[in-house]
Amino acid sequence: MSNAGLHYDTWLLVDCLREPDRALRLNDADWVALITMARAESLIGTLAYRLKNKKLPQPVAHIISDALIDSDYQYRSALWEVDCARRALESYDGPVVLMKGSAYAAAGFNASHGRFIGDLDIMVSEGGLKEVEELLLKAGWEWVKEDEYDEAYYRDYMHELPPLIHSERDRMIDVHHTILPKTAEPNPNARAMIADALPIDDGHYIFMPEDMICHCAAHLMADGDLAGGLRNLWDMHCLLSDFSGAAGDFWMRLKQRAQQHELWEAVHLSVRQSNALYGTTIPVDWMQWGISDTLFQKRLLARNGWGQKTYKLLRFAFYIRSHWLRMPPLMLIKHLLTKWRKGHKAHQL
Amino acid sequence: MHETHFKVGPASFRVGSVWKEIIDQIEMLYASYPKPKLTDYTVTLDAIRPWRRFVRPSVAINGDFMLPDAAPLPLSHGLLGAEMGVNLQMALGWRRQLILHASSVEKDGKSLLMSGESGSGKSTLSAILGHRGWRFMGDEFALIDHDNGFVMPYPRLISLKNQAIETLKKEAPHAQFGPLMKDTPKGDIQHIVPPAQAIRKMEQGAKPALLLFPNYGYDAEIREMLPSEVFMRLTQASANFVGLGETGFNTLKHLVLDVPTFEIAYQNGDEAEAMINQLWEQL
């Protein structure tokens, strides 16, 4: 018996992603904790990619090679899904913008190396939503069985359609018309995002670099309870590293664009966390660490060597925060009450 | 957290639990298996809520690879929880060989594979044959090597269900049995430790010579199966065929083209053994 696994947090994972050579000095218990945490954070493929040409202990080499096979499969099926959406939406006139993992994969960014890619996320203009929905339904996607409340909630307040799943391939597509719920306080300029999106080879579009970072930050900090935060922050690190090298005034343009989308706070916070955890090179005048930064960091690292969630109270606080950000107080109370009643009913069944 | 490690065939596991009794049961039954420090997968058996460790204990099964909404189990079924957790890691995570939901046994350096739905009797048959002159290789998963097509053993604890428990108690009265778990979601379950040589030779693969789809509870019959049908059924019976892509396709294709395959219907173990011996001698 041992309690060793409980004494780790995901710093070990962060360290090994940032400096893969550190992993070469790990003992057996460290390796087991590292791999468990990487799997729990959906970062095993990314870690595998970082470690793939290193001299690893034999058992680790097997695990890494399994993870690489898996992420190849993820990559391949994500691109296949992108192509299926392209064919389904061929007659749609407006731009279809790929988002998150699928965008990184289709554009061949570093962030896609080993990345876990789940659903296909796309964005179209709000005016095009109805046509896109109809084309997808015609091409074999169907509604995931939701109840009326969830359906109405998506339609009225969310930044995306209720999720659609393909009847044969069992893969989900999320169709967005903006990047944050309508009820959230920041009001990003979705029209500008679509207008400035860049075409890629296959007929789809991706966001321009500054917008891609704004979306990544919005997804990470302004929407949700930081579940999967280390993975999303790794995206942020890769994007910043890729884009900031190109042109000297990148940081200035990023700040302006973030302000235009009312996302400066989220972008600034994500950039600071990316610098603190993954060592991203950022301008000195962007580094203003505060008490809340420490809380965010603690939340991002809240997992032990058994892959279990730790700091339950802090996690809960961030869960509440995520709802707080998403909607005004009265609406929040009504929403949580409905959800609670439904959960209660489901338990009794 | 109480912790134990064990290795089955090529795969190794770390199991952790807040309940010492679950870990003790695992350690007793897996006593003769290797215990590597650096393991492939982690499974945890934790209380669904902190207080449910003490009040009406309820075991949540978690691990590196999980299905959403796995139902919790009572503490008396903890060992089944460990089995389910470990199976899930293999089914969802393993990529080093093609995994078939099949049992396997070996004789004269050649292996017999038996695949089928649960209830077909493949698991019980492999356990019986393991005490009748064959080397037991696995009751649940057969691992097919991508390079040479060999079946690699995966001799985990044999999981006996319902009437199979009595059958094996008669067949192997001196074998080591785990606790009887009554009224689990899968009926009554009891584990049995495989014969010593199965564990000793668990890294030794064997070229597949015969593939059977047993069907328990029907009048005795042998039917030869065409490769097309076999291929389709094995894609269904494989846990990682899709994830392996082209590699998995090639491994399965060679297996199906190289190995003669039959469906056998039978009413009891003796009848099945006679049919198996008959087919084995015709090879």
Side-chain angles (χ1 to χ4, degrees):
Chain A
M1 152 188 183
S2 90
N3 280 313
L6 301 175
H7 296 142
Y8 291 91
D9 65 22
T10 43
W11 259 124
L12 175 63
L13 171 60
V14 167
D15 277 342
C16 293
L17 286 171
R18 193 179 60 218
E19 276 181 68
D21 280 341
R22 276 176 178 244
L24 307 182
R25 297 193 292 272
L26 300 182
N27 65 28
D28 288 347
D30 295 338
W31 273 117
V32 174
L34 172 65
I35 286 157
T36 306
M37 293 187 294
R39 283 180 176 143
E41 293 287 343
S42 300
L43 276 164
I44 186 73
T46 308
L47 181 69
Y49 210 88
R50 300 283 285 166
L51 293 177
K52 72 174 183 177
N53 293 320
K54 311 269 174 206
K55 204 170 156 25
L56 302 167
Q58 196 53 46
V60 177
H62 281 307
I63 292 168
I64 294 304
S65 131
D66 279 1
L68 288 171
I69 292 172
D70 250 358
S71 60
D72 278 356
Y73 169 71
Q74 299 266 348
Y75 186 82
R76 215 165 48 235
S77 40
L79 289 184
W80 175 245
E81 218 42 44
V82 164
D83 199 58
C84 290
R86 183 189 59 77
R87 276 176 281 135
L89 299 177
E90 212 146 32
S91 67
Y92 174 67
D93 276 338
V96 175
V97 185
L98 300 175
M99 305 163 90
K100 297 191 249 183
S102 318
Y104 310 150
F109 287 150
N110 281 328
S112 72
H113 292 161
R115 191 188 191 276
F116 172 85
I117 305 173
D119 308 341
L120 171 60
D121 293 274
I122 61 172
M123 181 158 134
V124 298
S125 70
E126 193 162 7
L129 221 45
K130 201 168 160 43
E131 190 185 343
V132 166
E133 183 181 339
E134 276 162 13
L135 287 171
L136 290 175
L137 289 172
K138 223 167 73 186
W141 276 271
E142 51 193 37
W143 301 117
V144 179
K145 297 263 178 293
E146 299 271 357
D147 61 21
E148 275 172 39
Y149 176 78
D150 286 349
E151 165 94 24
Y153 184 83
Y154 266 99
R155 300 270 172 192
D156 296 344
Y157 303 121
M158 286 298 276
H159 51 306
E160 58 192 338
L161 294 174
L164 288 153
I165 194 162
H166 196 273
S167 54
E168 284 162 20
R169 295 192 309 278
D170 218 26
R171 298 275 299 206
M172 301 247 266
I173 186 167
D174 285 330
V175 184
H176 304 241
H177 56 83
T178 180
I179 61 169
L180 280 179
K182 294 183 206 170
T183 48
E185 209 178 280
N187 185 18
N189 187 340
R191 205 181 288 257
M193 284 187 147
I194 291 180
D196 294 335
L198 310 168
I200 51 172
D201 298 343
D202 66 352
H204 281 299
Y205 287 74
I206 57 172
F207 289 135
M208 65 186 261
E210 295 84 352
D211 282 351
M212 208 177 277
I213 286 171
C214 286
H215 175 230
C216 186
H219 182 53
L220 179 64
M221 296 296 180
D223 179 30
D225 60 354
L226 268 81
L230 279 184
R231 204 275 313 269
N232 295 330
L233 193 67
W234 181 258
D235 287 345
M236 177 61 79
H237 166 71
C238 293
L239 295 176
L240 288 171
S241 308
D242 278 355
F243 299 150
S244 62
D249 58 348
F250 166 78
W251 294 99
M252 207 183 67
R253 281 184 286 116
L254 176 58
K255 184 170 180 176
Q256 279 169 0
R257 193 71 174 181
Q259 283 166 338
Q260 186 188 339
H261 291 312
E262 300 176 12
L263 285 169
W264 166 239
E265 222 179 304
V267 167
H268 193 192
L269 178 59
S270 311
V271 167
R272 291 197 302 269
Q273 292 294 338
S274 178
N275 165 259
L277 289 172
Y278 294 129
T280 321
T281 311
I282 67 169
V284 180
D285 58 345
W286 283 55
M287 302 179 186
Q288 291 132 10
W289 196 261
I291 293 171
S292 68
D293 293 73
T294 306
L295 288 176
F296 273 94
Q297 191 179 87
K298 232 185 168 62
R299 168 62 189 86
L300 286 167
L301 299 172
R303 200 181 282 283
N304 66 26
W306 283 95
Q308 297 169 312
K309 298 166 179 172
T310 53
Y311 294 112
K312 292 280 170 68
L313 207 63
L314 184 68
R315 279 178 174 266
F316 186 65
F318 271 92
Y319 175 75
I320 298 290
R321 171 187 173 271
S322 74
H323 279 79
W324 196 256
L325 293 174
R326 217 174 274 167
M327 52 187 95
L330 256 180
M331 190 180 154
L332 172 61
I333 290 166
K334 202 175 131 225
H335 175 71
L336 288 180
L337 210 65
T338 314
K339 283 282 178 187
W340 178 77
R341 273 208 214 110
K342 270 180 9 184
H344 216 64
K345 250 191 239 157
H347 252 322
Q348 287 171 339
L349 289 176
Chain B
M1 187 78 95
H2 302 271
E3 174 174 358
T4 185
H5 292 209
F6 56 88
K7 186 174 188 197
V8 182
S12 53
F13 305 91
R14 169 177 69 149
V15 179
S17 178
V18 291
W19 292 284
K20 186 164 184 295
E21 50 262 59
I22 299 183
I23 299 300
D24 286 346
Q25 283 178 346
I26 297 173
E27 293 206 318
M28 201 156 74
L29 294 167
Y30 276 100
S32 54
Y33 290 73
K35 296 177 172 45
K37 280 202 186 120
L38 212 173
T39 49
D40 291 304
Y41 303 110
T42 292
V43 170
T44 58
L45 302 164
D46 208 348
I48 54 164
R49 302 265 180 277
W51 60 90
R52 295 295 288 274
R53 181 175 166 189
F54 309 101
V55 186
R56 289 183 295 128
S58 185
V59 186
I61 309 162
N62 282 304
D64 293 339
F65 295 89
M66 281 191 287
L67 291 177
D69 308 323
L73 294 171
L75 183 54
S76 56
H77 298 164
L79 198 57
L80 175 63
E83 178 198 321
M84 289 163 69
V86 163
N87 282 353
L88 212 51
Q89 305 316 303
M90 290 304 283
L92 301 178
W94 193 258
R95 295 290 179 271
R96 286 165 232 179
Q97 287 98 11
L98 179 77
I99 298 192
L100 295 179
H101 198 221
S103 66
S104 54
V105 291
E106 176 260 350
K107 194 150 75 175
D108 305 327
K110 292 177 296 181
S111 62
L112 159 66
L113 284 165
M114 290 176 280
S115 184
E117 312 283 316
S118 65
S120 66
K122 63 179 187 322
S123 181
T124 316
L125 279 178
S126 69
I128 294 175
L129 292 175
H131 290 278
R132 296 189 184 178
W134 299 72
R135 169 171 61 115
F136 173 81
M137 294 176 80
D139 76 320
E140 176 79 0
F141 294 135
L143 313 176
I144 313 297
D145 192 274
H146 298 308
D147 296 326
N148 61 18
F150 273 39
V151 180
M152 301 305 294
Y154 182 75
R156 58 162 208 171
L157 297 182
I158 303 164
S159 186
L160 302 168
K161 290 179 198 83
N162 304 318
Q163 318 96 292
I165 298 173
E166 277 316 305
T167 309
L168 259 291
K169 287 213 160 140
K170 286 198 199 98
E171 187 73 34
H174 303 296
Q176 189 185 356
F177 286 82
L180 175 64
M181 294 176 277
K182 280 199 151 312
D183 303 320
T184 76
K186 299 171 178 179
D188 293 349
I189 288 190
Q190 193 164 10
H191 292 96
I192 172 172
V193 179
Q197 69 150 349
I199 300 168
R200 213 170 44 240
K201 295 187 176 177
M202 72 181 196
E203 312 229 346
Q204 203 173 306
K207 193 175 161 60
L210 180 62
L211 168 61
L212 298 178
F213 284 86
N215 254 328
Y216 172 68
Y218 297 91
D219 288 340
E221 197 192 337
I222 297 178
R223 176 176 77 90
E224 185 167 6
M225 290 169 73
L226 293 174
S228 48
E229 182 188 358
V230 178
F231 189 90
M232 291 314 290
R233 289 198 53 180
L234 289 184
T235 59
Q236 300 295 315
S238 172
N240 59 6
F241 174 75
V242 173
L244 283 168
E246 195 179 349
T247 314
F249 179 86
N250 286 327
T251 306
L252 190 60
K253 183 184 77 182
H254 285 125
L255 179 78
V256 169
L257 291 178
D258 293 350
V259 181
T261 305
F262 302 87
E263 190 167 42
I264 58 166
Y266 65 100
Q267 297 279 11
N268 58 60
D270 293 337
E271 198 169 77
E273 190 195 10
M275 282 190 246
I276 290 168
N277 285 336
Q278 179 199 333
L279 290 167
W280 191 256
E281 273 149 32
Q282 285 169 10
L283 290 175

